[in-house]
Amino acid sequence: MTDNDKISGACKKAESSFYSLLSINIGTFHINPLTSASLVSKICIPKLLFGAELWNNLTKSNCMQLERFIRMAAKTIQRFPIRTRTDICLAMLGWKRIESEINLKKLMFLERLCNMPTTVLTKQIFNKRLALFSCRTDKCIQKGFVPDIIRILSKYKLSDFIINIPHYHKNNVRLWKT
């Protein structure tokens, strides 16, 4: 399955869940928009972002396709016109942009990988791919979880965590508190 197929499938599942919620009248004047937003964020958004930790090299059109669903849901829940500014609609519900949500899911997955014992095969594969990535000179054309996580860590100025992973595990210190 290509990334475009995964994104399209995720959007269709999220939209069908959203329209199912609308059919039970979450968009009426009787229900608080924050309650409706809570239902959408607990039912539809997880369907939209299922497996997002492993999506890599998303294009702007992929992110825009996911973002359209979030925008439509936020405006529909609050009964705002289509032309209402998206940043205002999302902020009123306390929702983040979709790219931030995906980055958060990837960072949480990285935290789980980093806290695994080194005897677990998944951790060994991650360590080998990380070492291979750091040794390669053609980093700009590589695809996968490791280049994406390195990009995210540098974007949020967290790159020193990836360098110091062995140091954190020697002292049995977790990278992030959960």
Side-chain angles (χ1 to χ4, degrees), residues 124-142:
Q124 293 171 0
I125 292 170
F126 171 70
N127 286 340
K128 288 184 184 194
R129 288 192 176 177
L130 184 62
L132 184 64
F133 178 81
S134 64
C135 293
R136 285 200 158 155
T137 57
D138 57 347
K139 292 180 172 106
C140 60
I141 61 170
Q142 288 184 341

Side-chain angles (χ1 to χ4, degrees), residues 41-119:
S41 65
K42 291 177 181 166
I43 296 170
C44 302
I45 293 177
K47 288 188 179 198
L48 181 71
L49 297 179
F50 180 75
E53 301 91 348
L54 302 177
W55 296 344
N56 55 42
N57 300 325
L58 291 178
T59 62
K60 288 189 185 235
S61 65
N62 293 139
C63 287
M64 195 61 193
Q65 190 175 2
L66 294 167
E67 189 75 32
R68 275 188 204 114
F69 170 77
I70 297 292
R71 292 174 178 184
M72 181 268 306
K75 291 174 184 178
T76 303
I77 287 170
Q78 299 176 83
R79 297 174 291 283
F80 286 152
I82 300 284
R83 299 274 183 211
T84 307
R85 287 184 45 179
T86 302
D87 56 344
I88 293 171
C89 295
L90 294 177
M92 289 179 75
L93 296 174
W95 288 358
K96 299 178 203 73
R97 295 184 55 102
I98 203 70
E99 185 180 356
S100 300
E101 290 287 340
I102 293 171
N103 289 345
L104 180 64
K105 288 178 83 60
K106 287 185 181 205
L107 287 172
M108 290 170 53
F109 185 63
L110 174 66
E111 189 262 338
R112 282 179 279 176
L113 279 172
C114 292
N115 288 322
M116 283 183 184
T118 54
T119 56

Side-chain angles (χ1 to χ4, degrees), residues 141-155:
I141 61 170
Q142 288 184 341
K143 294 182 179 182
F145 177 73
V146 173
D148 273 357
I149 205 66
I150 297 294
R151 180 188 52 78
I152 292 168
L153 289 171
S154 62
K155 177 180 179 180

